[in-house]
Every structure is written in C-alpha cells, then in structure tokens.
Amino acid sequence: MKWHEMRVEEVEERINSDLENGLNDEEVIKRIEQFGPNELKEAEKQNVLLLFLEQFKDFMVVVLLAATLISGLLGEYIDAIAIMAIVLINGLLGFFQERKAEKSLHALKELSAPQVTVLRNGEWKKVPSREVAVGDVVKFSSGDRIGADMRIVKSSSLEIEESALTGESLPVVKKESPIVGDNISIGDQENMAFMGTVVTRGSGVGVVVATGMHTAMGQIADLLQSSETIITPLQRRLEQLGKILIVVALILTFLVVAIGVLQGHDIYTMFLAGVSLAVAAIPEGLPAIVTIALSLGVTRMIKQKSIVRKLPAVETLGCASVICSDKTGTLTQNKMSVTNIWSSGKVWKVSGVGYEPKGDFILENKEMNPNNEKPLQQLLTFGLLCNNANIVKKNGHYVLDGDPTEGALTVAAMKAGLTREGLLSQFKLVKEFPFDSERKMMTVIVEDKQGKAFAITKGAPDVVMDVSNSILWDGRKETFTPKFKDEVQGAVYQFASDALRNIAIAFKPLENNNVSQFEAEKDLTLIGIQGMIDPPRPEVQAAVKECKAAGIKTVMITGDHVVTAKAIALQLGILPFGGKVLDGKALSNMTDDELEEIVDDVYVYARVSPQHKLKIVKALQRKGHIVAMTGDGVNDAPAIKASDIGIAMGITGTDVAKEASSLVLLDDNFATIKSAIKEGRNIYENIRKFIRYLLASNVGEILVMLFAMLMGLPLPLVAIQILWVNLVTDGLPAMALGLDQPEDDVMKRKPRNPKEGVFARGLWWKIISRGFLIGIVTLIAFVIVYNQNPDNLPYAQTVAFATLVMAQLIHVFDCRSEKSIFHRNPFENMYLVVAVLSSVLLMLIVIYYPPLQTIFHTVYLDPKEWLLILGLASLPTFLLVGSLFTRKQKENMV
Ligand code: ATP
C-alpha cells in the first residue's frame, strides 16, 4: 500500500481510524488479534535441554562421570549411583541458576521497553509499544523512538533521524502532504515515520499503518538480531582467574593422587578421590553465582526505583566518584508555581501553590484585581498562548498535562480567570517553533480576529533580552536602553536570588504569518518576567550529604540562571564554601585543558547547553574520576554515553536518552542515584564475600588431603564426602552471602578504584590463611581420632568430614565483614542462618541416618566427639580475629 501517496483523510478512511478520538479499546484488541502484537520476532531462544546438558560439559565433570562408570563396572554400585546423583543435583542447580539469571535479565528488558502515547477513546494515554495497533493515532516529539510505521498527519518543526533504516545520519524534515511519484524510496517518504527511527526535533501526530514484522524495520529485523550477552569486567576477570585456579587445583590434585599412590594407597580409590577433589576444588560455579548475585542485586535496585540497563554498570556504580546531576526534576520537584511577576518596574506576588488555579495577585501588600492591571494581564495572556500545557481536573484533583514550566504559566493565567479555550476564540495559533534547551526559548505565531499576526516568544530572560530591542513600559513601547536593561536584570537577579526560575515574555507584530524562526525571534518587545518556585526534593539534602561521606562529589548541571542555580545548590548543600559556579559562556570560552585545571573546584554549572555536558564529563574523566551523568533529552545522549555511568530519567527522559544510558531512574530522583550506588557497592562486596568463602573452603579441602598424603596417613575423606561438602556446605551458604545486607560503613568508604582487582584489600591473605587453617584443623581432628581408634578408619573420616563442614560453616559468618566476625550480627542475614542450619541438619542426617551412612561411608559419632569437632572447627575463624583490619583498610575510609 502506498500510504505516502494518499491524502490524510484517505488514509484515515482506508485504515478505518478516527483522527479525532482514536480507536476504542475493543477495536484495538480485535486488530492486535488480527495482526499480532507490535513487536519484532526474537531470535530463537536457547533450547532448555541444551542449557541443561551444558552444565555437564565441564572437563572434570566428564572425567568424574567416566570414573563413576568405571566404579560401577567394578561393582561399586552404591558409590557410582551416589556420585551420579550428586553430579546430577549439581547440574540441576547450575541449570536453575542460569535460568534464573536469564529470566531476570529478560524481565529487565521488558521493564525498559519503550512506551508510546496513543489516542484511545478520545484520550491520550501511554501504552507499551507492543500494544499499538494498526489505525492507532500516535503523538511523538523530540527524543521519542517511533514505535510503528505511521503516516504523519500533523507536524511541527518535525525532524526524524532514520539511520537505523536508511543509513543516512542527517535527520529528514517531515511534513503531512502527499508525495506522488515513481519508486519513492523510504528515505524520500517525507510524510511517513518508520518504526525504530528517532525524532530529533519538533513534534507530530501520526496514524499507524503497519505494526510488528509488517513494518519496514520488521522486514530487515532478521539482520538486526544479536543474541550477544554482555558480561561485566569482573565476570571476565573471574573467567580468566578460573582458568588459573583450574590448573592449580589440577596440579595439587595430581600431587595428592601421586603421593597417595606412592604411599601405597589403592590406585582406584585414589583416582576416585582425586577426581572428586578436582571437581570440588575447581570453582567452576563461580561465574554463575556472580551472575546471580548481580541479577539479584539488580532486582533489589528495581524495588528502589532504578533499572540497570547494562549489567557492567552495577560494578562501575561502586567506583563512582562524581555525580553530575540535572537540577530540574532530579534535585528539585519539578512542580512549579509562579510566585512573582515583574513588569514595568512593578512586582506582583501570586498566592496559592500546586496546580489548583486558585490564588490572589498582591501588589505592595494589597490584593489587586488582575483584570485592572494591563501589563500583568498581557503577560499572563501571552504566557498562556505560547504554551502547550493543560491543567485538567481528574478525580477532584488538578493535574498537569505537559511541561511543568509551562504548567506554572497556565495556572498563573487561570488564577486571573483566563482560559485557553477563551483565548483561542480570539486568537488563532498558526505556527510553533518549539522550545529546546539549546536556544532556551519558544515562539508561537498567532493571528487575532482582524487577521493581524504576532510572534510571541517566551524563554530564559537573558536570551530573550538579547533578541529584544524594545520594552513595553506602562503600556508604551520604549527603546531597550541600558537603563531599562538594568531594570530588567535587577528584577531577574532579585527573583533568582530567591531560587526562582524565570521566564521572560516578549512579542512583536508581524507583516504576515509566514516567517522563519530566525525572523520571528528577533527585534522583539519585552513585556515582563514571571518567576516560579521549584522546591528542592526533601530527600536530596541528606542524599548529597551521604554521598559526600562516601567520597562522592555532587555537581549540579542546569540550563537555569546562575543565581537561581547557586541559591538552590546552597540550600541543598551541594556548593561548599569556596566552591566555584561556572556559566555556559565561560565554559564555552575555555579550552579543555583550562577546564581540566579547575574542574575539581566547580560544583555548579549554570546556563549550560546539553553539549557542554560532554566537555564536563571528559574533563572529569581526564582527572581520573569515574563519572555518573544524568540526562533526559536527545542532546544529552552523547554525554550519557561518554560517562562511566549514564543515567536517564524514567519519567521525563526521552527514548534516546534511555537507550544511551546504563541506569534509568524510575522516579527521576537524585536520592535514587545514591541508593543505586550503595547497592552497587554492596553487590560488589557480596561477590567478594562469597569468592572469599568458596576459595577458602576449596583451599581447606585440598590441603587436608595433600597434608595427609605427605604424612603417609590414610585418606581423611572419601570421594563422596568431598562431593557432598562441595555441593551442600559450599553451595548453599555462598548463595546466601550473595544476598547479604551492606555493612554499616559501606557509604563511609572511598569509592573503589576501578583498577583494583577482586582480591585487593587483603582478600588473598584471608583466603589462604583461613583455607590453610581449615585444612589443618580438619587434619588434626582426623589424626587425634585415628590415633585413638586406628582400627576404625570410617570413624576418623566421619570426624574429619564433620570438622571440615563445621569449620566452613563457622567461617562463612566471618566472610560477611571486611573487619571481623564480631562486627556484624549473625542474625541480620536470615538466608544465611537458614542455609547454615540446613547444611548442619543435612550433615547430621548423613552421619546418623543408617541408610545414608552406607552411601556416605559415615558412622555413628559419639556425642563427646562434637566437643572436639566444634572446638577445632572454630579455630580458623577466631584465631585470626583482629589481624584483619589492616592499615590498608583504614586508609580506605573517607
Ligand atoms: P535542568 O536543570 O534539568 O538541566 P533546566 O530546566 O534548568 O534543566 P532547560 O530546560 O534547558 O534547563 O531550561 C533552561 C531555561 O530555559 C530555563 O531556565 C527557562 O528560563 C527556559 N525555559 C525552560 N522551559 C521553557 C519553555 N517550555 N519555554 C520557554 N522557555 C523555557
């Protein structure tokens, strides 16, 4: 169908849509049933069976299975079946772990899926992109990603970048009129908007003509599929480390077997024990547990209102040393109300907060009727005309539909009894040049009843003053002399010092209504200023303080006036004594080197444009900082991408900003960034905790065997016991450590150096020393009991087994703290308590339940033996208390 050749009405009729009211819900359901949901088909998922089998592809597991087969053939059925069962359970555990990791990653993708604004039953609403149907009427504006193929029915300075489809990176100017001709390529269909392309400027409305795989993008979708999974730097490092550990474990195991055989042990028993030891000691499960810890952390972060879009960001979060935050909406509430209005040297105060259009106008402490104040009325009228925000009453509450700055102007005008409908009966809107953060103004062209055209501009006072050559003073148009300029600047300064955000309003009569933006926005007549409050978010001050304690600097970046920005930065504790405030102009005039020189002293950047953000990020990064940068608009995307942690706003953010980001704030709130950083630090620490636990346990397991062989002793543990320890004692508590709460001082430490390895800050020492001690005490327990009952080897082996298990289970509580076991309440982490108690219980069952005794080669232990076991098992943890809090760790505190 050649939609681009048709007139809009023709498209509406063909597709059976209604441009006035949109589709109704039943129709949408019917159409989605007919054409399918609006989504591109995903690449084939990995087969579940294959995923399960993958758990067994590990070399040592294969060897173990072969060994089991041999023992089965030799008639050791019980051993063979038990080992098989344990390997199977291990595989199942790995399988479920991976499935869980995959599922939570998928859920994340769903959460960050784009939304589309559609007209349904006469009302605009946001729906997930997949619920868009053919015939839906869709609204989009700068920064949105187009959700389906559409014929454009309305456009206002609309430009769309279609490189995803055509490869052409320059945006295309879009229009509504039909395009006729032969072989019109996609790039030339200027009245169409295609799925996957991005609105870079202006706004528009379109009617959907194709969805899902029927779109132009759908036809090339196969080419776009990539199933690549991103792994984090830590995971990569662990993978490399894993390889080294495998070699070390294999060498040690080989030594155990070789020495054992030389000492006269039975080859077959040694072989089985060796292979089991290798399986147990190789930390093959580490990467999977790391993924789970990361994804569980990510789930917790969602509860705290931040969505991680790129997994590696979780790690980088813990390294962040500077947060560059937008002001409006992130540090402040973005709930604006006009409180002060200036015109012709007079200041009116406006009472009433929020969006309820009720309030009084007060001049010199006296209530005034705004209709008697000519300049005030004009200012309010033009403020409402050059404006797209509406205030609507929903369930008894006044709510804003549109931009808060514009909403404040609308409410102020409504307080004086003006309404948009009333004004539109006197003025016709001809054209709009939308607001953008670069120009910092917006203009509309209107025509009055007599057909006279005007340009009305509103914007940042300094910008509007620059394009004005006259001022309306007491109803007369005066030349904008330095004296008048001083008057206006004085008023702006006064308002800004009270932390008000200011909008200047100006106008000019036009000869005709067909003018360019440049023409419209020059030689204007300034009417006055409206100043609005935007209160700080109550939780931000404490969050800034907490970040400071954590060695993280907060920097405010705003398009607002220097004085306004400074006033708010002071209120929030962002600007310290002696801290610098830099404005956009000064920033533009600086070279990169000059900025780098002072960047550490600057806390507020005001009147900046989005492209300045990139310069700031780069200067900070050159100074060695790890930078988190927030943003919402299309122009923020490069800075978001370049920063170490790009953060997009969930509510006000555009699709483009979200796609460039690695973290999305669901509530646009600065305090959420702080929580995310805290969580990021905690996740990393938890990963260190279970690495420490698992590796120390492995070291202990290998050493007890190695030392016994060197000393010419019998085997202290049999194969199945080693496998059991690996599965139950190591696995369960390690997972619970991944869910541990942060230590109290997690936000009192300096940010982590991104170059530091996982084992930095004394972790190696802890692993080796604890592992060594666990091995030694197990051996001592074995030797003592074996010497007492030299004829009862299984008895000594059972004691060794119990000592090893208990030593590890006590040690796990030590792993929760960087300092010592006494710094934390063991009952804080109930998952861990339950994991440890279950491990103890399972061990008791294995020891005391006769049918399992046969399988696990255990025997009934005399209760008095437990004194010895528990006494020795607690030594590795308690012997070294106090030696841990090294000087290095003290240096790490802020
Ligand atoms: P942030 O603090 O999040 O960077 P900001 O709101 O301070 O954002 P911009 O949105 O770029 O920065 O606004 C810059 C200036 O432009 C404001 O101080 C205001 O004077 C003016 N302005 C803001 N919104 C509008 C609008 N809709 N129409 C006209 N002028 C506007």
Side-chain angles (χ1 to χ4, degrees):
M1 200 69 81
K2 293 190 169 169
W3 302 106
H4 57 276
E5 291 186 355
M6 298 179 201
R7 282 176 305 110
V8 169
E9 300 73 29
E10 218 179 311
V11 177
E12 181 183 17
E13 202 186 303
R14 284 275 190 117
I15 215 142
N16 199 6
S17 181
D18 175 356
L19 295 181
E20 278 290 300
N21 297 305
L23 299 177
N24 61 39
D25 292 339
E26 285 157 41
E27 189 61 33
V28 171
I29 295 173
K30 226 163 67 193
R31 290 183 186 210
I32 290 184
E33 257 169 32
Q34 186 183 349
F35 298 106
N38 178 34
E39 58 192 0
L40 300 180
K41 257 195 239 128
E42 277 198 33
E44 287 275 306
K45 286 242 176 63
Q46 198 179 359
N47 186 306
V48 178
L49 188 68
L50 272 182
L51 187 64
F52 180 64
L53 288 179
E54 251 187 29
Q55 307 302 320
F56 304 98
K57 68 170 197 249
D58 194 73
F59 174 66
M60 281 324 290
V61 174
V62 174
V63 175
L64 182 63
L65 287 175
T68 317
L69 199 71
I70 296 171
S71 67
L73 290 176
L74 290 177
E76 300 276 351
Y77 300 120
I78 296 181
D79 261 9
I81 293 172
I83 290 175
M84 284 285 212
I86 286 199
V87 171
L88 203 69
I89 295 173
N90 222 344
L92 273 174
L93 208 70
F95 169 72
F96 285 118
Q97 283 172 348
E98 276 194 26
R99 286 273 289 180
K100 182 163 172 50
E102 196 184 276
K103 271 202 185 134
S104 45
L105 290 180
H106 186 74
L108 276 188
K109 244 169 100 190
E110 294 265 291
L111 265 175
S112 48
Q115 298 227 316
V116 175
T117 312
V118 291
L119 184 63
R120 298 258 174 93
N121 313 309
E123 262 184 53
W124 289 107
K125 65 178 198 181
K126 280 196 167 201
V127 297
S129 171
R130 68 188 301 277
E131 288 169 22
V132 169
V134 170
D136 255 330
V137 181
V138 176
K139 189 159 81 168
F140 40 82
S141 59
S142 163
D144 287 345
R145 195 171 275 280
I146 299 288
D149 284 1
M150 300 174 210
R151 170 70 162 83
I152 294 166
V153 296
K154 241 189 242 164
S155 68
S156 166
S157 309
L158 181 63
E159 288 180 20
I160 297 185
E161 195 255 303
E162 300 179 331
S163 63
L165 210 55
T166 61
E168 171 59 56
S169 60
L170 273 187
V172 182
V173 178
K174 294 284 178 177
K175 55 183 189 183
E176 304 115 24
S177 47
I179 297 169
V180 192
D182 290 334
N183 293 332
I184 298 200
S185 68
I186 283 189
D188 291 330
Q189 297 182 15
E190 290 160 356
N191 53 14
M192 296 286 293
F194 297 101
M195 181 191 232
T197 60
V198 172
V199 185
T200 49
R201 188 159 184 265
S203 57
V205 175
V207 56
V208 175
V209 295
T211 57
M213 294 305 278
H214 306 288
T215 58
M217 188 61 98
Q219 275 150 37
I220 57 165
D222 291 342
L223 305 176
L224 300 171
Q225 303 275 356
S226 82
S227 54
E228 162 195 22
T229 43
I230 304 170
I231 63 167
T232 75
L234 174 67
Q235 284 173 305
R236 192 169 313 122
R237 250 181 279 149
L238 281 180
E239 260 179 25
Q240 286 159 358
L241 176 89
K243 287 186 189 136
I244 301 173
L245 291 181
I246 288 178
V247 176
V248 175
L250 283 179
I251 292 176
L252 290 177
T253 316
F254 176 76
L255 275 180
V256 171
V257 178
I259 299 171
V261 173
L262 286 179
Q263 297 274 14
H265 287 286
D266 164 42
I267 293 187
Y268 162 71
T269 317
M270 276 322 293
F271 176 68
L272 205 56
V275 178
S276 305
L277 191 58
V279 169
I282 292 171
E284 78 288 339
L286 255 190
I289 304 194
V290 171
T291 312
I292 296 209
L294 287 169
S295 66
L296 285 177
V298 166
T299 319
R300 274 200 304 272
M301 285 164 83
I302 294 175
K303 288 200 192 113
Q304 294 163 13
K305 303 234 174 313
S306 48
I307 294 186
V308 175
R309 292 192 64 252
K310 295 172 189 154
L311 210 49
V314 180
E315 273 168 42
T316 328
L317 270 171
C319 306
S321 58
V322 178
I323 309 173
C324 294
S325 171
D326 284 343
K327 171 179 74 71
T328 311
T330 312
L331 297 168
T332 66
Q333 299 180 14
N334 210 3
K335 285 195 185 125
M336 315 230 188
S337 332
V338 172
T339 57
N340 290 27
I341 300 180
W342 177 94
S343 182
S344 306
K346 291 182 194 156
V347 176
W348 289 268
K349 300 256 180 203
V350 188
S351 66
V353 283
Y355 294 123
E356 187 177 4
K358 249 193 209 154
D360 300 317
F361 292 83
I362 298 147
L363 179 67
E364 289 163 2
N365 296 326
K366 263 193 280 170
E367 207 175 291
M368 310 295 289
N369 178 353
N371 297 325
N372 297 336
E373 310 279 309
K374 192 87 197 337
L376 174 65
Q377 239 220 344
Q378 210 162 10
L379 205 53
L380 294 171
T381 305
F382 283 5
L384 183 54
L385 273 174
C386 181
N387 191 323
N388 288 310
N390 285 313
I391 300 298
V392 282
K393 206 168 175 183
K394 263 194 192 154
N395 309 328
H397 292 288
Y398 291 93
V399 288
L400 165 73
D401 173 20
D403 170 56
T405 305
E406 298 192 345
L409 300 177
T410 307
V411 173
M414 287 166 81
K415 284 177 180 168
L418 298 165
T419 60
R420 168 151 307 122
E421 295 73 39
L423 290 184
L424 289 182
S425 63
Q426 299 171 43
F427 297 95
K428 192 175 116 198
L429 275 177
V430 182
K431 207 184 218 166
E432 177 187 326
F433 300 111
F435 172 77
D436 71 58
S437 303
E438 215 78 46
R439 260 163 57 244
K440 299 190 171 48
M441 44 184 178
M442 156 179 175
T443 298
V444 290
I445 311 292
V446 296
E447 247 176 39
D448 66 9
K449 282 227 158 122
Q450 287 77 41
K452 270 201 295 189
F454 297 92
I456 305 172
T457 299
K458 74 174 196 310
D462 31 340
V463 181
V464 178
M465 279 168 74
D466 279 349
V467 291
S468 298
N469 62 6
S470 56
I471 181 167
L472 206 62
W473 195 274
D474 285 335
R476 280 196 312 277
K477 187 171 152 181
E478 305 276 0
T479 311
F480 209 13
T481 57
K483 181 178 154 276
F484 282 122
K485 283 190 179 161
D486 281 351
E487 285 274 350
V488 184
Q489 256 152 3
V492 170
Y493 187 85
Q494 194 63 45
F495 287 3
S497 317
D498 289 337
L500 298 190
R501 173 183 178 86
N502 297 306
I503 296 285
I505 294 173
F507 81 111
K508 84 168 170 192
L510 295 171
E511 294 289 311
N512 66 63
N513 64 22
N514 190 16
V515 288
S516 68
Q517 178 180 306
F518 178 73
E519 276 295 315
E521 291 177 347
K522 69 178 204 192
D523 303 337
L524 301 175
T525 304
L526 189 86
I527 314 174
I529 311 284
Q530 300 205 35
M532 51 192 81
I533 48 161
D534 177 15
R537 285 179 180 267
E539 59 280 36
V540 169
Q541 200 181 3
V544 169
K545 206 167 155 194
E546 208 175 318
C547 285
K548 199 168 161 197
I552 306 164
K553 174 183 170 185
T554 306
V555 173
M556 174 195 279
I557 300 187
T558 175
D560 223 335
H561 195 276
V562 175
V563 182
T564 311
K566 195 171 165 180
I568 295 181
L570 280 171
Q571 278 178 21
L572 291 173
I574 290 176
L575 187 63
F577 183 73
K580 278 199 174 73
V581 180
L582 204 64
D583 76 4
K585 266 193 201 136
L587 191 58
S588 295
N589 292 334
M590 269 180 192
T591 63
D592 291 348
D593 290 340
E594 281 166 345
L595 179 61
E596 192 185 330
E597 209 52 12
I598 59 158
V599 76
D600 273 333
D601 301 326
V602 184
Y603 289 81
V604 177
Y605 295 87
R607 269 290 182 263
V608 291
S609 311
Q611 88 268 21
H612 286 128
K613 285 186 169 178
L614 189 60
K615 194 167 169 177
I616 299 170
V617 168
K618 292 211 162 134
L620 284 166
Q621 284 175 331
R622 278 212 303 270
K623 275 272 179 179
H625 287 292
I626 300 297
V627 187
M629 166 66 87
T630 70
D632 46 17
V634 194
N635 302 340
D636 289 337
I640 293 181
K641 232 182 216 156
S643 65
D644 302 278
I645 306 152
I647 305 174
M649 300 300 146
I651 305 170
T652 56
T654 55
D655 295 343
V656 177
K658 285 182 194 161
E659 283 163 21
S661 70
S662 37
L663 191 77
V664 176
L665 304 182
L666 288 178
D667 58 357
D668 291 12
N669 190 344
F670 177 83
T672 306
I673 306 178
K674 181 222 68 191
S675 315
I677 289 183
K678 187 171 177 183
E679 195 56 65
R681 287 184 174 198
N682 186 36
I683 293 172
Y684 192 83
E685 288 309 315
N686 283 354
I687 291 176
R688 271 170 58 97
K689 288 175 197 170
F690 63 66
I691 288 180
R692 172 180 164 190
Y693 174 66
L694 280 180
L695 294 190
S697 302
N698 290 353
V699 169
E701 288 154 24
I702 293 189
L703 289 187
V704 67
M705 298 289 277
L706 185 63
F707 290 154
M709 292 305 100
L710 283 172
M711 289 164 66
L713 293 168
L715 272 183
L717 297 163
V718 296
I720 186 89
Q721 291 168 349
I722 298 173
L723 289 173
W724 166 267
V725 173
N726 181 47
L727 178 69
V728 181
T729 317
D730 292 356
L732 283 179
M735 298 264 279
L737 276 180
L739 291 166
D740 208 17
Q741 293 84 352
E743 279 193 81
D744 294 341
D745 64 354
V746 70
M747 286 300 268
K748 295 199 175 78
R749 300 178 198 154
K750 277 188 213 160
R752 197 180 76 240
N753 180 347
K755 292 200 193 93
E756 95 171 22
V758 202
F759 297 99
R761 289 176 273 140
L763 203 69
W764 263 131
W765 160 242
K766 284 178 189 162
I767 291 171
I768 303 281
S769 57
R770 295 313 178 283
F772 179 81
L773 286 176
I774 290 174
I776 292 290
V777 294
T778 309
L779 191 69
I780 294 176
F782 175 72
V783 171
I784 292 176
V785 178
Y786 182 62
N787 282 341
Q788 285 165 0
N789 320 278
D791 307 328
N792 194 351
L793 181 59
Y795 194 80
Q797 283 173 332
T798 309
V799 169
F801 170 65
T803 312
L804 180 66
V805 169
M806 288 316 298
Q808 293 188 0
L809 292 182
I810 295 172
H811 175 234
V812 75
F813 289 99
D814 191 27
C815 297
R816 293 184 60 222
S817 172
E818 295 269 314
K819 293 173 214 144
S820 85
I821 192 166
F822 297 119
H823 276 86
R824 304 208 66 183
N825 172 0
F827 297 104
E828 236 174 8
N829 184 348
M830 283 319 280
Y831 297 109
L832 187 61
V833 174
V834 172
V836 167
L837 287 181
S838 338
S839 295
V840 172
L841 191 71
L842 287 169
M843 172 194 68
L844 290 177
I845 295 176
V846 164
I847 294 177
Y848 289 105
Y849 183 52
L852 290 180
Q853 287 178 336
T854 338
I855 297 175
F856 287 92
H857 300 260
T858 49
V859 290
Y860 183 91
L861 285 186
D862 195 277
K864 78 168 176 9
E865 233 60 82
W866 286 101
L867 270 180
L868 175 79
I869 292 170
L870 291 176
L872 282 170
S874 21
L875 280 183
T877 298
F878 294 104
L879 212 58
L880 293 176
V881 163
S883 78
L884 317 170
F885 198 43
T886 57
R887 192 158 47 94
K888 256 201 175 142
Q889 280 171 325
K890 278 187 196 138
E891 277 166 13
N892 191 44
M893 306 301 287
V894 178

